[in-house]
Amino acid sequence: MTNPDPQPAAAEQAATWCAMEMQAPGRPLQQVWRQRLPQPAAGQVRIQVSACGVCRTDLHVVDGELPWPGHPVVPGHEIVGRISALGAGVTGLARGQRVGVPWLGWTCGSCEYCREGRENLCPQASFTGWQLAGGYAEHVLADARYVFELPPAYDDAQAAPLLCAGLIGWRAYVMAGAQARRIGLYGFGAAAHLIAQVAARQGREVYAYTRPGDTAAQALARQLGAVWAGDSDQPAPQALDAALLFAPVGALVPTALQAVRPGGRVVCAGIHMSDIPSFPYRWLWGERRIVSVANLTRQDGVDFMRVAAELPLQVSAHTYPLAQANQALDDLRAGRFAGAAVLECRASSDAEPAPRDAAWR
Ligand SMILES: [Zn+2]
Ligand SMILES: [Zn+2]
């Protein structure tokens, strides 16, 4: 085979690396082997991935609950790795530097939202692990403007969940409002287990609601500072100032609305949710608000990484080898672990089978 790279380094010609790719929605990911390393275009960096978090959004992509982008998808947007190549014009980053790549992968920079500092709402934005190749892979390209420095106190597997669970959780937490003292977290998974710690350390009371009977998640919640943890179908022990919904269950919206006091907020943090059942207007009455959180801005990343560095947070990372990405997704769907799932993506160039199903791109 000839290598189609224009000017590949000798070592890169021989490289073989793998990614877990979704070729159609609703189908398991397939392990694919690639013969050449991706070359960073101007403004991009190539990253040798060491860990990638498994987010509920990945499940929504794989399960076809988000629109299909029209090409095979390598999921994963909680990427931790080291820069292995710099494209033209990249400044302020160096080979070997550890960085994180989040969900927001590119924005236009010129629309009304981008100019207002709300790039999370840019209608032309591209997202990592959906429109852009993600981190369920040994190597990935990223726009150099959208990578973060990571707090050194966290190892690679611990740092991965900060990049979405932490960041989106942080954005939802900020939206709860500075005056919210009693905060309910509905769905105690990767995001809630991080934000519970931030909230508790900042003097808020955390009430953790889990799937009925999920005593492992309830125990983790108490250990991380929740004053109360119980089943999501139980009544709230206190009227809440805000409720953050991390579970993709629309029926929790009216439940949470009944749990918040007048003036309180219900913040829906997921990208997808089952339909919200109808409910009587009096549950919303009293200036209660329902809001959603969409994506993140780079400023959210800077702010949250500073908080994560200061606290620091205890990260419950349940690790899987990259090749077991389907198992990790299944376990997330079934709620089989407490905390966050993380794929370990160490380069396996000595260990791969004969290349098959190689994708050339
Ligand atoms: Zn824009
Ligand atoms: Zn995510």
Side-chain angles (χ1 to χ4, degrees), residues 182 184-187 209 232-236 238-247 249-262 264-268 273 276 279 283-284 288-290:
R182 295 191 182 109
L185 305 177
Y186 285 77
Y209 297 84
S232 59
D233 54 4
Q234 285 183 283
Q238 297 275 357
L240 303 171
D241 299 316
L244 312 185
L245 268 59
F246 296 111
V249 180
L252 287 174
V253 173
T255 301
L257 209 45
Q258 292 174 87
V260 299
R261 66 176 176 83
R265 295 183 197 175
V266 173
V267 182
C268 304
M273 195 181 249
I276 301 170
F279 54 86
W283 294 357
L284 182 62
R288 294 177 180 86
R289 279 183 247 181
I290 303 173

Side-chain angles (χ1 to χ4, degrees), residues 40-125:
Q44 289 186 322
V45 291
R46 185 177 69 221
I47 294 163
Q48 181 161 353
V49 182
S50 51
C52 184
V54 177
C55 175
R56 185 162 291 280
T57 297
D58 303 340
L59 266 188
H60 296 315
V61 172
V62 169
D63 290 346
E65 289 163 337
L66 297 184
W68 176 242
H71 54 73
V73 174
V74 176
H77 55 269
E78 299 180 297
I79 305 171
V80 178
R82 280 156 191 80
I83 294 176
S84 58
L86 300 164
V90 174
T91 55
L93 295 170
R95 273 173 177 255
Q97 182 178 352
R98 184 173 85 146
V99 290
V101 184
W103 169 243
L104 186 72
W106 186 88
T107 58
C108 80
S110 57
C111 74
E112 209 174 336
Y113 293 109
C114 284
R115 284 186 279 116
E116 289 169 354
R118 297 196 289 169
E119 62 184 358
N120 60 309
L121 301 179
C122 174
Q124 297 185 66

Side-chain angles (χ1 to χ4, degrees), residues 158-198:
Q158 292 171 333
L162 302 180
L163 285 154
C164 185
L167 266 175
I168 298 291
W170 170 255
R171 192 170 172 87
Y173 173 71
V174 170
M175 248 185 224
Q179 66 283 59
R181 306 314 303 172
R182 295 191 182 109
I183 297 183
L185 305 177
Y186 285 77
F188 202 85
H193 101 284
L194 297 174
I195 291 311
Q197 297 174 67
V198 175

Side-chain angles (χ1 to χ4, degrees), residues 177-311:
Q179 66 283 59
R181 306 314 303 172
R182 295 191 182 109
I183 297 183
L185 305 177
Y186 285 77
F188 202 85
H193 101 284
L194 297 174
I195 291 311
Q197 297 174 67
V198 175
R201 297 283 277 279
Q202 294 188 344
R204 325 270 185 122
E205 286 179 19
V206 174
Y207 297 80
Y209 297 84
T210 72
R211 294 184 206 220
D214 190 347
T215 53
Q218 291 167 13
L220 180 62
R222 286 189 208 95
Q223 185 212 323
L224 297 177
V227 296
W228 179 90
D231 297 348
S232 59
D233 54 4
Q234 285 183 283
Q238 297 275 357
L240 303 171
D241 299 316
L244 312 185
L245 268 59
F246 296 111
V249 180
L252 287 174
V253 173
T255 301
L257 209 45
Q258 292 174 87
V260 299
R261 66 176 176 83
R265 295 183 197 175
V266 173
V267 182
C268 304
I271 194 170
H272 171 84
M273 195 181 249
S274 55
D275 286 354
I276 301 170
S278 70
F279 54 86
Y281 176 61
R282 67 174 184 279
W283 294 357
L284 182 62
W285 171 250
E287 300 194 345
R288 294 177 180 86
R289 279 183 247 181
I290 303 173
V291 295
S292 69
V293 166
N295 314 316
L296 68 135
T297 65
R298 283 171 283 178
Q299 190 60 46
D300 292 331
V302 171
D303 294 344
F304 177 66
M305 292 308 164
R306 188 185 309 127
V307 169
E310 282 167 6
L311 284 179

